[in-house]
Amino acid sequence: PECKFEGGDCQAVGGFPNCYIDKSLDPSKVGDGKCDGDPMYNTPIGCNNEGGDCQAIENAPNCYIDKSLDPSKVGDGKCDGNPNYNSLIGCKYEGGDCQPVDGFSTCFLDKSLDPTKVGDGKCDLTQDTDGSYNGKYNSPGCERDGGDCVVRGYPDCFVPNPGWIKDEYCDREAPYNTLECGFDGGAC
């Protein structure tokens, strides 16, 4: 849809002088305190970045993120995996830092990683240099490697072989024999 003022295609947005959007759009989204990130609400000149809900990203045209987010993370060469940077229209997967994973709407991986490994039956524990899993297989957004790294009953236990927990054999080495893993599920 395009608002060209002719033929009654536009509607004024109350509270925002000179903000006109296409009639097919919901004017209540402008200035509602939530950045929807849709360029159709952000690009009209008088709409002031969705009524002040969003901020424009200089190095990513048509990318608008919530004012509370750090704009320097978009297009910085590192996939943070945060859906708030990736799911918005125009942000092109964090400015090209990430890639989406089919079947996982909140999973965004670093471009160097293989998206087919998510949910392949093998736990991939790739960590970032800061110890986080952001932009990696085992992130919360990727549902802990598509469920491959989930150890039932131990939500903070991440091990290469989840089946070894509670197998009645004591795996004495970390990360199995840790508090997070219930000391190998009680086997130690």
Side-chain angles (χ1 to χ4, degrees), residues 53-156:
D53 298 340
C54 303
Q55 60 180 318
I57 304 299
E58 284 184 37
N59 61 345
N62 293 320
C63 178
Y64 301 90
I65 62 172
D66 191 89
K67 292 188 310 185
S68 66
L69 298 174
D70 180 359
S72 69
K73 292 189 177 232
V74 177
D76 67 353
K78 178 181 183 273
C79 177
D80 296 289
N82 184 333
N84 292 313
Y85 293 107
N86 283 285
S87 59
L88 299 173
I89 299 167
C91 289
K92 296 186 177 131
Y93 306 111
E94 204 172 304
D97 298 340
C98 302
Q99 61 181 321
V101 177
D102 289 338
F104 297 89
S105 64
T106 59
C107 183
F108 303 96
L109 294 176
D110 188 89
K111 291 173 94 176
S112 66
L113 299 176
D114 179 1
T116 64
K117 286 189 169 190
V118 176
D120 67 353
K122 180 181 179 280
C123 178
D124 297 290
L125 288 175
T126 307
Q127 282 185 309
D128 214 338
T129 53
D130 64 1
S132 74
Y133 293 102
N134 298 331
K136 307 297 183 204
Y137 302 110
N138 195 31
S139 69
C142 291
E143 298 174 30
R144 302 292 179 203
D145 196 12
D148 296 341
C149 296
V150 174
V151 179
R152 296 200 193 291
Y154 302 96
D156 296 319

Side-chain angles (χ1 to χ4, degrees), residues 19-56:
C19 178
Y20 299 93
I21 61 174
D22 190 272
K23 273 194 168 178
S24 66
L25 299 174
D26 180 2
S28 69
K29 289 190 173 194
V30 177
D32 66 355
K34 179 183 180 279
C35 177
D36 296 289
D38 188 332
M40 294 296 289
Y41 292 104
N42 282 281
T43 53
I45 294 169
C47 293
N48 188 28
N49 291 331
E50 202 175 306
D53 298 340
C54 303
Q55 60 180 318

